[in-house]
Amino acid sequence: RMPNSRLPITILMADDDEDDRLLTLDALTEGRVLNNLQCVEDGVELLAYLRREGRFSDPATSPRPSLILLDLNMPRMDGREALQEIKADPTLRGIPVVILTTSKEEEDMLRGYDLGAASYITKPVNFEGLVELMKSLGRYWIEIVELPQND
């Protein structure tokens, strides 16, 4: 294929806050990042999606993500637990995970634990910040990092 005809990447967002999910979708659209955003609401759903269980069994509607945006504070199973499970699974641990944190302090604290995250993002308080973030994220992942091909 032509070098510039990049395929959309699938981004899987795990976040129980609907406003955050909608804002991210808008920011991705606004930032014109070629992608397909899928959302789950907690760590249990995240793992079900990645393991193609239950309603996520069809690869056509639940494609393997190239990138996971992971909120840490979610019900049932939080982001830390979910990340441990992902990193312990040989078929999943190659997927880069970007952790969404609510504060700089939380990010600093998390860097102390080696959670295996590719990157940390402090949730911006405004839409413009999020759009910029998504644009830079898109450039970073799509142009710099060679993503493994989807299975």
Side-chain angles (χ1 to χ4, degrees):
R1 61 194 178 110
M2 301 297 292
N4 290 336
S5 64
R6 289 195 298 255
L7 290 168
I9 61 169
T10 295
I11 297 175
L12 178 58
M13 182 177 193
D15 193 329
D16 61 317
D17 186 322
E18 189 181 7
D19 291 339
D20 282 344
R21 294 197 305 267
L22 292 170
L23 195 63
T24 303
L25 184 59
D26 285 349
L28 285 167
T29 308
E30 182 79 19
R32 295 191 183 77
V33 177
L34 264 184
N35 56 43
N36 161 24
L37 182 69
Q38 300 277 356
C39 295
V40 291
E41 296 189 27
D42 58 42
V44 175
E45 277 194 1
L46 172 62
L47 289 163
Y49 181 107
L50 293 170
R51 293 174 177 152
R52 300 233 163 96
E53 294 164 356
R55 66 188 174 94
F56 304 111
S57 60
D58 184 356
T61 49
S62 304
R64 180 181 170 96
S66 302
L67 177 66
I68 296 168
L69 289 178
L70 181 62
D71 182 40
L72 290 181
N73 308 309
M74 297 182 292
R76 292 207 296 171
M77 178 191 281
D78 72 14
R80 290 172 197 80
E81 295 170 274
L83 187 56
Q84 279 173 333
E85 294 258 338
I86 290 168
K87 294 301 167 186
D89 185 328
T91 61
L92 302 177
R93 65 168 172 239
I95 303 171
V97 176
V98 173
I99 291 182
L100 301 169
T101 65
T102 45
S103 69
K104 204 69 191 137
E105 289 73 43
E106 186 179 48
E107 179 185 328
D108 292 338
M109 193 181 74
L110 290 165
R111 285 183 188 281
Y113 307 107
D114 184 19
L115 293 176
S119 184
Y120 292 87
I121 288 173
T122 305
K123 284 186 176 182
V125 286
N126 62 37
F127 184 71
E128 288 73 27
L130 193 55
V131 171
E132 275 314 301
L133 175 82
M134 288 302 166
K135 282 182 177 166
S136 60
L137 195 68
R139 281 197 296 271
Y140 175 74
W141 287 109
I142 301 166
E143 290 161 23
I144 300 163
V145 178
E146 266 302 302
L147 288 167
Q149 284 305 302
N150 287 354
D151 57 13

